[in-house]
Amino acid sequence: MSRSRPDTATRARIVQNLARRDGARCFYCRSPFAPDMTGVTLDHYVPRALWKTWRQRNLVLACSPCNTAKGSVLPWTVAALLLRNVRENQLWRDACAGASSPSV
């Protein structure tokens, strides 16, 4: 899918796909949506500011309060996984081993 906002028909199809994938509930608070999906918003799990995509693997259904509360923050679970992968990288370990402690 492109980087531009999907049209209304495509958005409706995405909402239905995500409802089948994740259940018709808010991804964050797990509150159920009405059968007509009133109140649903699409949230970019990894913020769009960091990953400019409308691919469904990065989208979740969220109620408006949860979507607003999350904002454009990277969820801590994703940040922790990224940090773990960086710390396990040999280049990272080599760079840290060569760093000296700041003098106090």
Side-chain angles (χ1 to χ4, degrees), residues 3-31:
R3 293 180 183 211
S4 62
R5 183 176 294 267
D7 61 37
T8 304
T10 302
R11 185 185 184 286
R13 195 168 50 251
I14 290 170
V15 167
Q16 291 306 312
N17 289 343
L18 296 177
R20 275 193 301 275
R21 183 188 76 186
D22 301 332
R25 300 178 170 275
C26 174
F27 181 81
Y28 302 106
C29 71
R30 305 305 296 158
S31 295

Side-chain angles (χ1 to χ4, degrees), residues 44 46-55 57-59:
H44 291 82
V46 174
R48 196 160 186 273
L50 299 175
W51 189 19
K52 296 187 185 323
T53 184
W54 281 90
R55 291 180 186 215
R57 64 181 170 219
N58 188 42
L59 295 172

